Amino acid sequence: MEFSDKIIDKKEELLDEFQNLTLDQLAIKIKEISNRETDVIFQIACLAARVSVLNERIKAIMGENVLNDNLIENNRGKNTNIVEKILEPSPDPTNNPIEWVRVQIKETTEVNGVRFPSGIQIDVTDEDSKKMIDGGKAILLEDLETKESV
């Protein structure tokens, strides 16, 4: 959504006025100002400022910039819409193929949030298979098949 230059200028003025506040304090302050204001343009600018603050708070929660609690000043001029950022393709797509390994579960265990009973055979990533085998929860079936054929 594109805002008019007048709204953007008012939003920037509002954010600059309270740049010394933390994001939580800034969100509360902007909400208070918005509730008192009768000018529609200024109310829209307040809403735009609140969206900016919410985007920054989400970023902080996601751990992107946890060192700085007041992120408004650092990210001016960048695309700060968290939804657009999530939907953007990653700059370095991973072209590494996933290697799958078949294991047999020795005792009931959980893999990536899924519980598997003992005796079942499953295909897991090489990394998960190493964790399960090292933990004594599974055996590698390829090794068994190789030993039996020898």
Side-chain angles (χ1 to χ4, degrees):
M1 172 187 267
E2 295 294 320
F3 292 112
S4 71
D5 290 338
K6 189 175 184 179
I7 292 173
I8 292 172
D9 289 342
K10 286 188 181 283
K11 174 189 97 164
E12 294 298 323
E13 286 175 22
L14 188 62
L15 293 174
D16 287 343
E17 183 178 341
F18 301 110
Q19 69 182 359
N20 60 334
L21 299 177
T22 65
L23 292 174
D24 291 337
Q25 294 169 334
L26 185 57
I28 292 167
K29 192 69 159 175
I30 293 171
K31 185 176 181 180
E32 290 172 356
I33 292 170
S34 177
N35 289 337
R36 292 189 309 239
E37 194 58 45
T38 58
D39 179 26
V40 175
I41 299 293
F42 195 77
Q43 284 182 327
I44 293 171
C46 287
L47 289 174
R50 288 179 69 193
V51 168
S52 295
V53 171
L54 288 174
N55 280 327
E56 296 303 321
R57 290 176 71 192
I58 290 170
K59 283 182 186 179
I61 290 169
M62 291 177 61
E64 290 183 9
N65 293 312
V66 292
L67 297 177
N68 186 356
D69 192 31
N70 195 355
L71 302 173
I72 300 297
E73 189 64 31
N74 293 340
N75 290 323
R76 292 248 166 85
K78 295 181 188 176
N79 181 9
T80 58
N81 187 334
I82 194 70
V83 175
E84 289 177 9
K85 187 167 185 167
I86 290 171
L87 296 177
E88 286 177 1
S90 66
D92 298 324
T94 55
N95 292 329
N96 300 338
I98 297 174
E99 293 187 34
W100 294 95
V101 178
R102 182 158 293 202
V103 296
Q104 182 172 2
I105 305 296
K106 288 173 41 177
E107 61 183 70
T108 301
T109 188
E110 189 174 305
V111 179
N112 295 331
V114 179
R115 180 172 234 153
F116 294 100
S118 62
I120 192 168
Q121 295 180 10
I122 60 172
D123 292 333
V124 294
T125 63
D126 190 41
E127 182 180 319
D128 285 338
S129 71
K130 288 176 184 173
K131 289 178 189 174
M132 293 170 63
I133 293 167
D134 290 344
K137 303 282 185 176
I139 54 173
L140 186 62
L141 287 181
E142 293 171 2
D143 283 349
L144 288 178
E145 293 170 2
T146 308
K147 288 178 186 175
E148 290 174 0
S149 65
V150 172

